[in-house]
Amino acid sequence: MLNTDHFFERIETSIGVDYMLRAREGVPQQGVYIRPHVHLEHEIMWFHRAEGAFSIGSEKFQIRDNTLVFVSSMMLHDMELSFTGDHERFLLQYDTAVLNRLKYPFPASASHAGFVMQLTHHQAERVQFLFQWLTELHDEPHTLDEVDPLLVLLLNTVLTHGESAEKVVISGENNSTFDNIIDFVVQIEKNKKFSISLNEAAAHCKLSASHFSRSFKKIMQISFKEYLLRKKIAQSAELLRNTDLSITDIAYQCEFTDSAYYCFKFRALMGVTPKKFRSNTRSTKQLSTKHDVSPPATTSTQP
């Protein structure tokens, strides 16, 4: 039976921005409880002033001032926070495409479920400064060229701290429908191919096609067919950002039947055409180098 206490969170980012930053969120007097969930993105939470608890899998940790949390992609986690008048926390969510785009040799984070650690006063000052700086930058119009160096600095600082932290390791003993489907999604997220039928996916999870279809939609909040489409669109967006491939070549690589159908689906999901998306998300440096002109105003992005 599907555990309805677990759910998949679909994180929405603005067009042209491939990560999510949240700050300045307080805690109501009755407290906050975020029930167990997973999402495709990695998650960093910085609790500068806080009281509560954070769980990764079945491991539960105390949250207090200057607690740093990292959760790997598709790992079950939840959070409970108590009201404090000076509460301050930051949240950064990003996927592997961000790491690929930044092209920096970050410490490995995919070999464990995550970590929770208490920082020293000196360590905490640096992490707090970086999160405040990134937040202030986001308060004004900015380009990826401006954000990326700070993002590299912040991610490298956090992941370097993680090298000395005690890692959370999740055992694979639970064979519930939820775990089977999440494990399946993790596997296909690592695969650049999208040609898998509903029957093949159901067989992989040892479920009937109808049971798999119902359970997948309940967990992921979208149908399996829609999930594969979104996976294709996400991969195409990465190619639009980081390559000079033609729209036709990108449509072919992402296994669309033709470029017209690809453009139709891309616009329906993203709100703009692939061509417009590419021009809006190229960095100032890329645009200036390729066209030898001043960058247009559309190069600025703000989440």
Side-chain angles (χ1 to χ4, degrees):
M1 184 175 181
L2 186 63
N3 187 341
T4 55
D5 289 332
H6 299 169
F7 70 98
F8 176 82
E9 179 187 14
R10 188 166 64 250
I11 296 171
E12 302 290 348
T13 58
S14 301
I15 293 175
V17 180
D18 49 8
Y19 60 89
M20 173 69 75
L21 175 68
R22 292 167 62 181
R24 303 190 183 99
E25 295 182 340
V27 176
Q29 290 191 346
Q30 68 269 27
V32 167
Y33 174 64
I34 306 298
R35 61 194 178 100
H37 64 284
V38 298
H39 41 70
L40 295 173
E41 294 75 12
H42 303 295
E43 179 172 287
I44 296 170
M45 293 204 73
W46 168 236
F47 298 93
H48 186 49
R49 297 282 183 268
E51 292 181 10
F54 198 100
S55 296
I56 303 176
S58 60
E59 298 289 326
K60 190 171 185 177
F61 304 88
Q62 181 184 359
I63 295 298
R64 54 187 188 274
D65 292 355
N66 297 332
T67 300
L68 180 63
V69 175
F70 172 82
V71 184
S72 291
S73 168
M74 299 304 288
M75 294 298 172
L76 191 68
H77 57 286
D78 63 89
M79 178 179 72
E80 186 172 1
L81 296 173
S82 303
F83 170 78
T84 55
D86 61 348
H87 178 86
E88 186 177 20
R89 74 181 187 272
F90 298 84
L91 170 67
L92 179 65
Q93 294 165 320
Y94 63 95
D95 61 19
T96 304
V98 175
L99 301 181
N100 294 337
R101 177 173 62 78
L102 293 174
K103 296 181 173 64
Y104 187 86
F106 295 105
S109 60
S111 59
H112 56 83
F115 62 81
V116 179
M117 67 182 300
Q118 193 72 22
L119 298 190
T120 66
H121 177 72
H122 177 71
Q123 292 169 334
E125 280 188 334
R126 178 173 175 79
V127 172
Q128 176 69 7
F129 171 75
L130 293 174
F131 267 112
Q132 286 181 326
W133 188 6
L134 185 60
T135 301
E136 290 169 4
L137 182 58
H138 273 254
D139 287 340
E140 303 293 337
H142 55 272
T143 66
L144 289 178
D145 277 351
E146 295 171 314
V147 171
D148 284 355
L150 180 52
L151 202 55
V152 167
L153 190 57
L154 177 56
L155 289 173
N156 190 56
T157 298
V158 170
L159 296 176
T160 298
H161 282 315
E163 289 188 308
S164 61
E166 184 176 349
K167 313 300 189 299
V168 179
V169 179
I170 305 299
S171 66
E173 297 176 358
N174 196 328
N175 292 316
S176 69
T177 299
F178 178 88
D179 292 303
N180 285 343
I181 289 179
I182 292 301
D183 288 344
F184 168 70
V185 171
V186 170
Q187 289 185 42
I188 62 175
E189 278 299 311
K190 296 177 181 178
N191 191 346
K192 296 299 183 183
K193 298 296 181 182
F194 314 101
S195 298
I196 181 169
S197 69
L198 175 64
N199 288 335
E200 289 171 333
H204 182 92
C205 295
K206 300 179 181 178
L207 299 171
S208 67
S210 59
H211 188 186
F212 171 84
S213 185
R214 290 193 305 271
S215 299
F216 189 95
K217 189 168 185 177
K218 192 168 187 177
I219 292 170
M220 302 297 288
Q221 302 178 35
I222 54 175
S223 68
F224 181 62
K225 181 179 179 180
E226 178 70 11
Y227 167 76
L228 289 181
L229 172 62
R230 287 172 179 264
K231 181 173 166 62
K232 290 181 181 182
I233 295 294
Q235 175 63 17
S236 76
E238 185 176 353
L239 293 174
L240 288 167
R241 282 192 185 103
N242 300 310
T243 75
D244 290 318
L245 290 172
S246 69
I247 302 298
T248 300
D249 286 341
I250 290 175
Y252 176 77
Q253 283 202 19
C254 295
E255 301 182 16
F256 286 91
T257 53
D258 57 67
S259 59
Y261 179 69
Y262 162 61
C263 290
F264 172 75
K265 287 298 186 180
F266 190 98
R267 184 168 187 171
L269 187 63
M270 302 294 286
V272 294
T273 64
K275 183 178 179 180
K276 186 70 172 178
F277 176 87
R278 168 174 270 172
S279 67
N280 283 358
T281 56
R282 287 296 180 92
S283 68
T284 303
K285 182 178 179 181
Q286 287 174 308
L287 288 167
S288 299
T289 300
K290 186 171 182 180
H291 302 294
D292 197 27
V293 295
S294 298
T298 52
T299 56
S300 294
T301 59
Q302 184 165 3

PDB file of all heavy atoms in Angstrom, residues 159-170:
ATOM      1  N   LEU A 159      30.158  22.027   0.450  1.00  0.00           N
ATOM      2  CA  LEU A 159      30.534  20.647   0.144  1.00  0.00           C
ATOM      3  C   LEU A 159      31.890  20.285   0.741  1.00  0.00           C
ATOM      4  O   LEU A 159      32.132  19.121   1.089  1.00  0.00           O
ATOM      5  CB  LEU A 159      30.531  20.423  -1.362  1.00  0.00           C
ATOM      6  CG  LEU A 159      29.152  20.578  -2.037  1.00  0.00           C
ATOM      7  CD1 LEU A 159      29.260  20.430  -3.545  1.00  0.00           C
ATOM      8  CD2 LEU A 159      28.147  19.585  -1.463  1.00  0.00           C
ATOM      9  N   THR A 160      32.768  21.259   0.903  1.00  0.00           N
ATOM     10  CA  THR A 160      34.044  21.003   1.582  1.00  0.00           C
ATOM     11  C   THR A 160      33.813  20.721   3.055  1.00  0.00           C
ATOM     12  O   THR A 160      34.441  19.826   3.642  1.00  0.00           O
ATOM     13  CB  THR A 160      34.993  22.205   1.408  1.00  0.00           C
ATOM     14  OG1 THR A 160      35.266  22.384   0.020  1.00  0.00           O
ATOM     15  CG2 THR A 160      36.305  21.962   2.140  1.00  0.00           C
ATOM     16  N   HIS A 161      32.903  21.458   3.696  1.00  0.00           N
ATOM     17  CA  HIS A 161      32.534  21.144   5.080  1.00  0.00           C
ATOM     18  C   HIS A 161      32.006  19.710   5.170  1.00  0.00           C
ATOM     19  O   HIS A 161      32.273  18.991   6.135  1.00  0.00           O
ATOM     20  CB  HIS A 161      31.466  22.119   5.589  1.00  0.00           C
ATOM     21  CG  HIS A 161      31.995  23.463   5.978  1.00  0.00           C
ATOM     22  ND1 HIS A 161      33.135  23.618   6.724  1.00  0.00           N
ATOM     23  CD2 HIS A 161      31.531  24.722   5.734  1.00  0.00           C
ATOM     24  CE1 HIS A 161      33.367  24.915   6.921  1.00  0.00           C
ATOM     25  NE2 HIS A 161      32.401  25.604   6.324  1.00  0.00           N
ATOM     26  N   GLY A 162      31.263  19.305   4.159  1.00  0.00           N
ATOM     27  CA  GLY A 162      30.673  17.970   4.164  1.00  0.00           C
ATOM     28  C   GLY A 162      31.696  16.850   4.153  1.00  0.00           C
ATOM     29  O   GLY A 162      31.408  15.741   4.606  1.00  0.00           O
ATOM     30  N   GLU A 163      32.895  17.133   3.649  1.00  0.00           N
ATOM     31  CA  GLU A 163      33.928  16.102   3.623  1.00  0.00           C
ATOM     32  C   GLU A 163      34.332  15.670   5.034  1.00  0.00           C
ATOM     33  O   GLU A 163      34.747  14.523   5.236  1.00  0.00           O
ATOM     34  CB  GLU A 163      35.150  16.613   2.858  1.00  0.00           C
ATOM     35  CG  GLU A 163      34.930  16.748   1.363  1.00  0.00           C
ATOM     36  CD  GLU A 163      36.203  17.071   0.610  1.00  0.00           C
ATOM     37  OE1 GLU A 163      36.887  18.043   0.989  1.00  0.00           O
ATOM     38  OE2 GLU A 163      36.527  16.344  -0.355  1.00  0.00           O
ATOM     39  N   SER A 164      34.223  16.563   6.005  1.00  0.00           N
ATOM     40  CA  SER A 164      34.594  16.222   7.384  1.00  0.00           C
ATOM     41  C   SER A 164      33.384  15.866   8.242  1.00  0.00           C
ATOM     42  O   SER A 164      33.526  15.538   9.421  1.00  0.00           O
ATOM     43  CB  SER A 164      35.350  17.394   8.030  1.00  0.00           C
ATOM     44  OG  SER A 164      34.528  18.552   8.073  1.00  0.00           O
ATOM     45  N   ALA A 165      32.183  15.937   7.669  1.00  0.00           N
ATOM     46  CA  ALA A 165      30.969  15.621   8.418  1.00  0.00           C
ATOM     47  C   ALA A 165      30.688  14.119   8.379  1.00  0.00           C
ATOM     48  O   ALA A 165      31.144  13.407   7.480  1.00  0.00           O
ATOM     49  CB  ALA A 165      29.777  16.376   7.836  1.00  0.00           C
ATOM     50  N   GLU A 166      29.917  13.663   9.349  1.00  0.00           N
ATOM     51  CA  GLU A 166      29.480  12.265   9.349  1.00  0.00           C
ATOM     52  C   GLU A 166      28.332  12.122   8.355  1.00  0.00           C
ATOM     53  O   GLU A 166      27.295  12.773   8.493  1.00  0.00           O
ATOM     54  CB  GLU A 166      29.027  11.842  10.740  1.00  0.00           C
ATOM     55  CG  GLU A 166      28.644  10.371  10.826  1.00  0.00           C
ATOM     56  CD  GLU A 166      28.294   9.933  12.244  1.00  0.00           C
ATOM     57  OE1 GLU A 166      28.555  10.712  13.181  1.00  0.00           O
ATOM     58  OE2 GLU A 166      27.763   8.820  12.398  1.00  0.00           O
ATOM     59  N   LYS A 167      28.510  11.287   7.344  1.00  0.00           N
ATOM     60  CA  LYS A 167      27.530  11.150   6.271  1.00  0.00           C
ATOM     61  C   LYS A 167      26.337  10.294   6.707  1.00  0.00           C
ATOM     62  O   LYS A 167      26.466   9.393   7.535  1.00  0.00           O
ATOM     63  CB  LYS A 167      28.169  10.517   5.023  1.00  0.00           C
ATOM     64  CG  LYS A 167      29.506  11.119   4.604  1.00  0.00           C
ATOM     65  CD  LYS A 167      29.416  12.586   4.272  1.00  0.00           C
ATOM     66  CE  LYS A 167      30.702  13.107   3.640  1.00  0.00           C
ATOM     67  NZ  LYS A 167      31.885  12.989   4.505  1.00  0.00           N
ATOM     68  N   VAL A 168      25.194  10.595   6.122  1.00  0.00           N
ATOM     69  CA  VAL A 168      23.996   9.777   6.324  1.00  0.00           C
ATOM     70  C   VAL A 168      23.923   8.771   5.191  1.00  0.00           C
ATOM     71  O   VAL A 168      23.980   9.138   4.014  1.00  0.00           O
ATOM     72  CB  VAL A 168      22.724  10.643   6.333  1.00  0.00           C
ATOM     73  CG1 VAL A 168      21.487   9.767   6.532  1.00  0.00           C
ATOM     74  CG2 VAL A 168      22.806  11.708   7.417  1.00  0.00           C
ATOM     75  N   VAL A 169      23.846   7.499   5.522  1.00  0.00           N
ATOM     76  CA  VAL A 169      23.753   6.432   4.525  1.00  0.00           C
ATOM     77  C   VAL A 169      22.404   5.748   4.686  1.00  0.00           C
ATOM     78  O   VAL A 169      22.048   5.314   5.787  1.00  0.00           O
ATOM     79  CB  VAL A 169      24.893   5.402   4.683  1.00  0.00           C
ATOM     80  CG1 VAL A 169      24.743   4.289   3.648  1.00  0.00           C
ATOM     81  CG2 VAL A 169      26.248   6.086   4.550  1.00  0.00           C
ATOM     82  N   ILE A 170      21.660   5.652   3.600  1.00  0.00           N
ATOM     83  CA  ILE A 170      20.326   5.050   3.632  1.00  0.00           C
ATOM     84  C   ILE A 170      20.414   3.601   3.197  1.00  0.00           C
ATOM     85  O   ILE A 170      20.935   3.297   2.123  1.00  0.00           O
ATOM     86  CB  ILE A 170      19.347   5.806   2.715  1.00  0.00           C
ATOM     87  CG1 ILE A 170      19.310   7.304   3.088  1.00  0.00           C
ATOM     88  CG2 ILE A 170      17.959   5.201   2.789  1.00  0.00           C
ATOM     89  CD1 ILE A 170      18.848   7.579   4.487  1.00  0.00           C
TER      90      ILE A 170
END
